[in-house]
Amino acid sequence: MIDIHAHLYWKSYDADRDAVIRRALESGIKKMICVGTSPEDNPQAIAVAEKYEGVYASVGMHPHFFNKEGMTGVTGNLERIAQSSNKVIAIGECGLDYFEREKLVTDEMKAQQKEGLVAQVEIARQLGLPMIIHTRSSPGTLSSTAGLPAVVGGDAYGDILCILKDELLKTKSHRLKAILHCYQGDTEMTQKFLQLPNVYFSFAGNITYPVKKSLAGTKDDLQETLKLI
């Protein structure tokens, strides 16, 4: 088993990071990927990966980074750090996240997130690295902005699908690979992702949560999505 998504540089691991990684590897985890999300913690993810055997790094810009920051300097800096260590094996986490607890994610923010994702897709393509994609949806209507693809309804999974379809068409050899991290798509959306080449799925603890009776057996039942995949 591979744990593709661990933030092992977090301060909460400072007291027992060695023990946490040792227990994981002893329990049958063959490899772990320490995932960066910003200019500040990408170097920390690499530092952890370089310290431990069996631990690797992914570097990227979380979509919420683009809610506040523009693209200036991001692409070049990310590409440089991705090439700074042979322990870096993926780009991410990147993606689209249309949910914030204390404020509305505006159409402008969504457009900035999409621009940031497309830029990171290009870095992954140039370096021949797979992508770790974070997706979280919210209700609303998203209009097409800056020439980037969009879907009515503002669903982040739908927008990820549009972007990946568009980018995979540019990669005729289909070398671009993507892992949909902590996947929560319904069965209808999943059918569409399954038609794309080199798109994979990963799951987190939410697959252990009890299914609401109103959702059981419907397209929104995550257990049905698991069965489908």
Side-chain angles (χ1 to χ4, degrees), residues 25-160:
L25 297 175
E26 289 175 350
S27 298
I29 301 296
K30 300 298 183 183
K31 296 177 182 178
M32 304 173 74
I33 301 178
C34 189
V35 178
T37 66
S38 71
E40 291 73 32
D41 59 39
N42 285 327
Q44 297 177 57
I46 294 174
V48 171
E50 290 183 335
K51 182 177 179 180
Y52 298 95
E53 186 175 353
V55 180
Y56 297 85
S58 177
V59 296
M61 310 298 291
H62 188 282
H64 279 179
F65 174 87
F66 298 101
N67 291 353
K68 302 175 183 178
E69 304 288 343
M71 289 294 296
T72 304
V74 168
T75 303
N77 290 336
L78 184 59
E79 187 169 354
R80 281 193 293 274
I81 196 166
Q83 296 178 88
S84 68
S85 170
N86 60 11
K87 276 292 192 92
V88 175
I89 61 171
I91 298 297
E93 66 186 289
C94 54
L96 301 176
D97 191 328
Y98 295 168
F99 178 86
E100 282 210 54
R101 293 186 183 280
E102 298 180 359
K103 64 181 180 181
L104 176 69
V105 177
T106 65
D107 284 0
E108 181 180 1
M109 291 175 179
K110 293 173 184 178
Q112 290 172 180
Q113 288 187 23
K114 290 162 75 175
E115 185 179 0
L117 172 57
V118 170
Q120 291 177 88
V121 169
E122 186 57 32
I123 292 173
R125 190 200 320 279
Q126 293 295 330
L127 300 182
L129 295 176
M131 307 186 70
I132 297 176
I133 295 181
H134 166 101
T135 316
R136 192 172 186 183
S137 295
S138 72
T141 302
L142 178 64
S143 57
S144 182
T145 309
L148 296 171
V151 294
V152 175
D155 174 71
Y157 278 103
D159 287 346
I160 289 284

Side-chain angles (χ1 to χ4, degrees), residues 185-187 190 211 215-229:
D186 64 27
T187 54
T190 303
V211 178
L215 299 180
T218 71
K219 70 180 182 66
D220 296 310
D221 181 347
L222 189 56
Q223 296 296 322
E224 294 300 315
T225 295
L226 277 166
K227 293 176 187 176
L228 175 63
I229 293 171

